[in-house]
Amino acid sequence: MAGVVPESFKKKQARDAELAAAANKAAQDAEKAMAQFNKDIYAKAEAYATEYEQLEKTAIDNRRQAKASGQLYVPDEAKVVFVVRIRGTIGVSPKVKKILRLFRLRQINNATFVRVNAATTKMLRLIEPFIAYGNPNLKSVRELIYKRGYGKVSGQRVPLSSNTVVSAALGEYGIVCVEDLIHEIFTVGPHFKEAANFLWPFKLNTPRKGYPGRKKLIHFNENGACGMQGDKINHLIKKMI
């Protein structure tokens, strides 16, 4: 009877073998899924690059045609602005403070992406002395998200260190990687609101060599730093990243 293997031990061996086989299969399936996911992301990135190149080419062609015909080319109005808070709010009206909170600009050098419409334009005008804003280009949007981007996951500030962070939060909207997020913000896609709210307000540095112009209190058009800066906001973003 010494060489007889107990029935319970046989059952344990069979169960362990079954669990090991299941774990091995799950690991293989996960590896295949990740490989396909990376392949899809690469294809998306190439498609987005082609789209961005076409947009730039179209703008250049339109300018050339307008110049050749002696006309002035006026590009479409920007759909998104990048807003940076540059001043404190001591002694200001509650309305200004409320608008800054609505834009999630609770601290100096906080920044967010804001969709341009009639309502946001009016609010931006009211808080112009406290912010600098303008139209970010693709390079600025990409650098901000890759270098300074954090997501809001379960109320926590989580770095965008992998695409899984984005897919877990925004996968239901078809945004599964960082390039999807950049594309949604830059082109102001149908789920811009969800993408912008997912991004934690950027915490930027004080600009190297200071703000442009004479004083922050003076409007940008009068050689100051606050207010609408158009595409010149990209110079400020570069100094603050």
Side-chain angles (χ1 to χ4, degrees):
M1 299 296 291
V4 177
V5 179
E7 191 66 25
S8 60
F9 186 73
K10 289 181 181 179
K11 289 182 178 180
K12 182 179 184 302
Q13 281 183 320
R15 184 173 65 249
D16 290 346
E18 185 179 347
L19 290 173
N24 187 35
K25 186 177 183 303
Q28 290 178 353
D29 292 344
E31 187 176 351
K32 289 179 181 178
M34 182 57 68
Q36 184 61 41
F37 181 64
N38 291 334
K39 186 177 179 181
D40 293 342
I41 288 174
Y42 185 76
K44 277 187 175 184
E46 286 188 327
Y48 291 152
T50 303
E51 180 183 348
Y52 299 144
E53 288 176 4
Q54 186 59 41
L55 287 172
E56 187 176 355
K57 185 177 182 299
T58 301
I60 292 173
D61 291 343
N62 289 336
R63 283 196 294 269
R64 286 175 176 172
Q65 289 177 4
K67 185 177 180 180
S69 59
Q71 297 177 345
L72 183 64
Y73 171 67
V74 179
D76 296 335
E77 289 188 8
K79 298 178 182 178
V80 61
V81 292
F82 186 69
V83 187
V84 185
R85 178 171 169 180
I86 62 174
R87 283 182 58 194
T89 55
I90 296 176
V92 302
S93 67
K95 190 172 187 179
V96 170
K97 291 183 180 179
K98 184 176 181 180
I99 294 173
L100 288 171
R101 284 198 299 271
L102 283 174
F103 287 147
R104 301 185 296 161
L105 303 174
R106 296 179 176 273
Q107 297 175 332
I108 295 175
N109 295 339
N110 277 178
T112 56
F113 292 106
V114 176
R115 187 203 300 264
V116 176
N117 55 38
T120 56
T121 300
K122 289 179 181 177
M123 288 191 285
L124 289 170
R125 293 278 173 82
L126 287 172
I127 61 172
E128 266 196 349
F130 306 92
I131 60 170
Y133 66 104
N135 313 126
N137 57 25
L138 176 61
K139 181 182 178 183
S140 295
V141 174
R142 179 173 277 126
E143 287 188 349
L144 281 164
I145 292 177
Y146 271 115
K147 294 182 179 181
R148 290 284 183 168
Y150 284 80
K152 184 166 61 177
V153 180
S154 300
Q156 301 296 315
R157 184 172 181 255
V158 179
L160 302 181
S161 55
S162 69
N163 291 315
T164 54
V165 177
V166 179
S167 62
L170 300 173
E172 59 182 306
Y173 306 112
I175 303 172
V176 297
C177 62
V178 177
E179 284 297 328
D180 283 342
L181 183 61
I182 293 170
H183 182 265
E184 194 72 16
I185 293 293
F186 181 66
T187 61
V188 190
H191 299 293
F192 174 87
K193 180 180 178 181
E194 291 81 3
N197 287 337
F198 165 72
L199 284 172
W200 198 277
F202 296 95
K203 295 184 177 183
L204 303 178
N205 296 322
T206 300
R208 294 185 298 276
K209 298 184 179 180
Y211 287 94
R214 292 179 293 164
K215 288 185 178 181
K216 288 195 294 185
L217 309 180
I218 303 175
H219 197 280
F220 182 76
N221 293 339
E222 299 173 351
N223 195 25
C226 67
M228 179 61 168
Q229 300 189 11
D231 58 358
K232 296 293 189 296
I233 193 68
N234 295 297
H235 298 299
L236 183 61
I237 293 172
K238 185 177 180 181
K239 292 167 66 176
M240 298 183 75
I241 288 179

